[in-house]
PDB file of all heavy atoms in Angstrom:
ATOM      1  N   ALA R 541     156.946  69.757  83.411  1.00  0.00           N
ATOM      2  CA  ALA R 541     156.023  68.810  84.039  1.00  0.00           C
ATOM      3  C   ALA R 541     156.510  68.323  85.398  1.00  0.00           C
ATOM      4  O   ALA R 541     156.053  67.302  85.887  1.00  0.00           O
ATOM      5  CB  ALA R 541     155.810  67.613  83.106  1.00  0.00           C
ATOM      6  N   SER R 542     157.399  69.059  86.028  1.00  0.00           N
ATOM      7  CA  SER R 542     157.956  68.575  87.291  1.00  0.00           C
ATOM      8  C   SER R 542     156.895  68.393  88.374  1.00  0.00           C
ATOM      9  O   SER R 542     157.022  67.527  89.231  1.00  0.00           O
ATOM     10  CB  SER R 542     159.065  69.495  87.788  1.00  0.00           C
ATOM     11  OG  SER R 542     158.549  70.781  88.036  1.00  0.00           O
ATOM     12  N   ASP R 543     155.829  69.180  88.303  1.00  0.00           N
ATOM     13  CA  ASP R 543     154.769  69.036  89.306  1.00  0.00           C
ATOM     14  C   ASP R 543     153.937  67.779  89.081  1.00  0.00           C
ATOM     15  O   ASP R 543     153.194  67.359  89.963  1.00  0.00           O
ATOM     16  CB  ASP R 543     153.872  70.271  89.314  1.00  0.00           C
ATOM     17  CG  ASP R 543     153.171  70.504  87.991  1.00  0.00           C
ATOM     18  OD1 ASP R 543     153.747  70.151  86.940  1.00  0.00           O
ATOM     19  OD2 ASP R 543     152.052  71.045  88.007  1.00  0.00           O
ATOM     20  N   GLN R 544     154.047  67.159  87.924  1.00  0.00           N
ATOM     21  CA  GLN R 544     153.293  65.938  87.618  1.00  0.00           C
ATOM     22  C   GLN R 544     154.090  64.675  87.929  1.00  0.00           C
ATOM     23  O   GLN R 544     153.560  63.580  87.835  1.00  0.00           O
ATOM     24  CB  GLN R 544     152.920  65.914  86.130  1.00  0.00           C
ATOM     25  CG  GLN R 544     152.091  67.083  85.675  1.00  0.00           C
ATOM     26  CD  GLN R 544     151.970  67.119  84.163  1.00  0.00           C
ATOM     27  OE1 GLN R 544     151.838  66.090  83.521  1.00  0.00           O
ATOM     28  NE2 GLN R 544     152.023  68.310  83.603  1.00  0.00           N
ATOM     29  N   MET R 545     155.359  64.834  88.264  1.00  0.00           N
ATOM     30  CA  MET R 545     156.234  63.669  88.441  1.00  0.00           C
ATOM     31  C   MET R 545     156.334  63.257  89.901  1.00  0.00           C
ATOM     32  O   MET R 545     156.369  64.104  90.792  1.00  0.00           O
ATOM     33  CB  MET R 545     157.648  63.982  87.952  1.00  0.00           C
ATOM     34  CG  MET R 545     157.770  64.152  86.483  1.00  0.00           C
ATOM     35  SD  MET R 545     159.501  64.157  85.982  1.00  0.00           S
ATOM     36  CE  MET R 545     159.856  65.884  85.984  1.00  0.00           C
ATOM     37  N   THR R 546     156.434  61.962  90.078  1.00  0.00           N
ATOM     38  CA  THR R 546     156.780  61.446  91.398  1.00  0.00           C
ATOM     39  C   THR R 546     158.287  61.607  91.562  1.00  0.00           C
ATOM     40  O   THR R 546     159.011  61.786  90.569  1.00  0.00           O
ATOM     41  CB  THR R 546     156.406  59.957  91.525  1.00  0.00           C
ATOM     42  OG1 THR R 546     157.223  59.212  90.609  1.00  0.00           O
ATOM     43  CG2 THR R 546     154.933  59.715  91.238  1.00  0.00           C
ATOM     44  N   PRO R 547     158.794  61.532  92.770  1.00  0.00           N
ATOM     45  CA  PRO R 547     160.251  61.595  92.944  1.00  0.00           C
ATOM     46  C   PRO R 547     160.982  60.512  92.139  1.00  0.00           C
ATOM     47  O   PRO R 547     162.047  60.763  91.577  1.00  0.00           O
ATOM     48  CB  PRO R 547     160.443  61.406  94.449  1.00  0.00           C
ATOM     49  CG  PRO R 547     159.170  61.916  95.052  1.00  0.00           C
ATOM     50  CD  PRO R 547     158.097  61.540  94.064  1.00  0.00           C
ATOM     51  N   GLU R 548     160.384  59.332  92.051  1.00  0.00           N
ATOM     52  CA  GLU R 548     161.004  58.246  91.291  1.00  0.00           C
ATOM     53  C   GLU R 548     161.071  58.591  89.798  1.00  0.00           C
ATOM     54  O   GLU R 548     162.066  58.315  89.136  1.00  0.00           O
ATOM     55  CB  GLU R 548     160.237  56.931  91.493  1.00  0.00           C
ATOM     56  CG  GLU R 548     160.304  56.386  92.900  1.00  0.00           C
ATOM     57  CD  GLU R 548     159.312  57.040  93.870  1.00  0.00           C
ATOM     58  OE1 GLU R 548     158.374  57.759  93.424  1.00  0.00           O
ATOM     59  OE2 GLU R 548     159.494  56.866  95.083  1.00  0.00           O
ATOM     60  N   GLN R 549     160.004  59.192  89.271  1.00  0.00           N
ATOM     61  CA  GLN R 549     160.000  59.593  87.863  1.00  0.00           C
ATOM     62  C   GLN R 549     161.027  60.685  87.601  1.00  0.00           C
ATOM     63  O   GLN R 549     161.692  60.694  86.564  1.00  0.00           O
ATOM     64  CB  GLN R 549     158.605  60.073  87.440  1.00  0.00           C
ATOM     65  CG  GLN R 549     157.595  58.972  87.318  1.00  0.00           C
ATOM     66  CD  GLN R 549     156.191  59.507  87.092  1.00  0.00           C
ATOM     67  OE1 GLN R 549     155.793  60.517  87.676  1.00  0.00           O
ATOM     68  NE2 GLN R 549     155.435  58.820  86.248  1.00  0.00           N
ATOM     69  N   ARG R 550     161.166  61.597  88.546  1.00  0.00           N
ATOM     70  CA  ARG R 550     162.152  62.670  88.398  1.00  0.00           C
ATOM     71  C   ARG R 550     163.562  62.086  88.332  1.00  0.00           C
ATOM     72  O   ARG R 550     164.358  62.451  87.462  1.00  0.00           O
ATOM     73  CB  ARG R 550     162.027  63.663  89.549  1.00  0.00           C
ATOM     74  CG  ARG R 550     162.866  64.914  89.359  1.00  0.00           C
ATOM     75  CD  ARG R 550     162.583  65.990  90.403  1.00  0.00           C
ATOM     76  NE  ARG R 550     161.257  66.567  90.198  1.00  0.00           N
ATOM     77  CZ  ARG R 550     160.221  66.384  91.030  1.00  0.00           C
ATOM     78  NH1 ARG R 550     160.345  65.657  92.100  1.00  0.00           N
ATOM     79  NH2 ARG R 550     159.058  66.934  90.777  1.00  0.00           N
ATOM     80  N   VAL R 551     163.854  61.154  89.218  1.00  0.00           N
ATOM     81  CA  VAL R 551     165.175  60.521  89.237  1.00  0.00           C
ATOM     82  C   VAL R 551     165.405  59.749  87.936  1.00  0.00           C
ATOM     83  O   VAL R 551     166.473  59.859  87.317  1.00  0.00           O
ATOM     84  CB  VAL R 551     165.331  59.598  90.473  1.00  0.00           C
ATOM     85  CG1 VAL R 551     166.555  58.708  90.346  1.00  0.00           C
ATOM     86  CG2 VAL R 551     165.407  60.424  91.743  1.00  0.00           C
ATOM     87  N   LYS R 552     164.421  58.999  87.507  1.00  0.00           N
ATOM     88  CA  LYS R 552     164.553  58.211  86.278  1.00  0.00           C
ATOM     89  C   LYS R 552     164.765  59.125  85.065  1.00  0.00           C
ATOM     90  O   LYS R 552     165.584  58.839  84.197  1.00  0.00           O
ATOM     91  CB  LYS R 552     163.313  57.340  86.086  1.00  0.00           C
ATOM     92  CG  LYS R 552     163.466  56.288  85.039  1.00  0.00           C
ATOM     93  CD  LYS R 552     162.268  55.341  85.050  1.00  0.00           C
ATOM     94  CE  LYS R 552     162.455  54.235  84.052  1.00  0.00           C
ATOM     95  NZ  LYS R 552     161.348  53.286  84.053  1.00  0.00           N
ATOM     96  N   THR R 553     164.035  60.226  85.017  1.00  0.00           N
ATOM     97  CA  THR R 553     164.189  61.172  83.913  1.00  0.00           C
ATOM     98  C   THR R 553     165.583  61.788  83.928  1.00  0.00           C
ATOM     99  O   THR R 553     166.228  61.909  82.881  1.00  0.00           O
ATOM    100  CB  THR R 553     163.106  62.267  83.989  1.00  0.00           C
ATOM    101  OG1 THR R 553     161.823  61.641  83.988  1.00  0.00           O
ATOM    102  CG2 THR R 553     163.196  63.232  82.816  1.00  0.00           C
ATOM    103  N   LEU R 554     166.074  62.152  85.095  1.00  0.00           N
ATOM    104  CA  LEU R 554     167.433  62.682  85.207  1.00  0.00           C
ATOM    105  C   LEU R 554     168.475  61.650  84.784  1.00  0.00           C
ATOM    106  O   LEU R 554     169.463  61.984  84.127  1.00  0.00           O
ATOM    107  CB  LEU R 554     167.708  63.158  86.638  1.00  0.00           C
ATOM    108  CG  LEU R 554     167.044  64.474  87.029  1.00  0.00           C
ATOM    109  CD1 LEU R 554     167.115  64.678  88.531  1.00  0.00           C
ATOM    110  CD2 LEU R 554     167.681  65.636  86.288  1.00  0.00           C
ATOM    111  N   GLN R 555     168.255  60.396  85.147  1.00  0.00           N
ATOM    112  CA  GLN R 555     169.180  59.338  84.744  1.00  0.00           C
ATOM    113  C   GLN R 555     169.212  59.192  83.228  1.00  0.00           C
ATOM    114  O   GLN R 555     170.281  59.068  82.622  1.00  0.00           O
ATOM    115  CB  GLN R 555     168.792  58.004  85.387  1.00  0.00           C
ATOM    116  CG  GLN R 555     169.081  57.946  86.858  1.00  0.00           C
ATOM    117  CD  GLN R 555     168.500  56.701  87.517  1.00  0.00           C
ATOM    118  OE1 GLN R 555     167.501  56.149  87.059  1.00  0.00           O
ATOM    119  NE2 GLN R 555     169.121  56.271  88.596  1.00  0.00           N
ATOM    120  N   HIS R 556     168.048  59.226  82.596  1.00  0.00           N
ATOM    121  CA  HIS R 556     167.987  59.119  81.140  1.00  0.00           C
ATOM    122  C   HIS R 556     168.635  60.333  80.472  1.00  0.00           C
ATOM    123  O   HIS R 556     169.324  60.199  79.458  1.00  0.00           O
ATOM    124  CB  HIS R 556     166.551  58.942  80.661  1.00  0.00           C
ATOM    125  CG  HIS R 556     165.971  57.604  80.965  1.00  0.00           C
ATOM    126  ND1 HIS R 556     166.534  56.425  80.533  1.00  0.00           N
ATOM    127  CD2 HIS R 556     164.876  57.256  81.669  1.00  0.00           C
ATOM    128  CE1 HIS R 556     165.805  55.408  80.951  1.00  0.00           C
ATOM    129  NE2 HIS R 556     164.787  55.891  81.642  1.00  0.00           N
ATOM    130  N   LEU R 557     168.414  61.511  81.035  1.00  0.00           N
ATOM    131  CA  LEU R 557     169.042  62.718  80.505  1.00  0.00           C
ATOM    132  C   LEU R 557     170.562  62.599  80.600  1.00  0.00           C
ATOM    133  O   LEU R 557     171.281  62.928  79.649  1.00  0.00           O
ATOM    134  CB  LEU R 557     168.542  63.952  81.261  1.00  0.00           C
ATOM    135  CG  LEU R 557     169.184  65.287  80.901  1.00  0.00           C
ATOM    136  CD1 LEU R 557     169.032  65.593  79.417  1.00  0.00           C
ATOM    137  CD2 LEU R 557     168.589  66.395  81.753  1.00  0.00           C
TER     138      LEU R 557
END
Side-chain angles (χ1 to χ4, degrees):
S542 62
D543 61 329
Q544 301 170 39
M545 291 192 266
T546 65
E548 294 81 13
Q549 288 172 321
R550 189 172 290 111
V551 167
K552 193 172 183 179
T553 303
L554 285 167
Q555 288 171 332
H556 288 302
L557 175 57

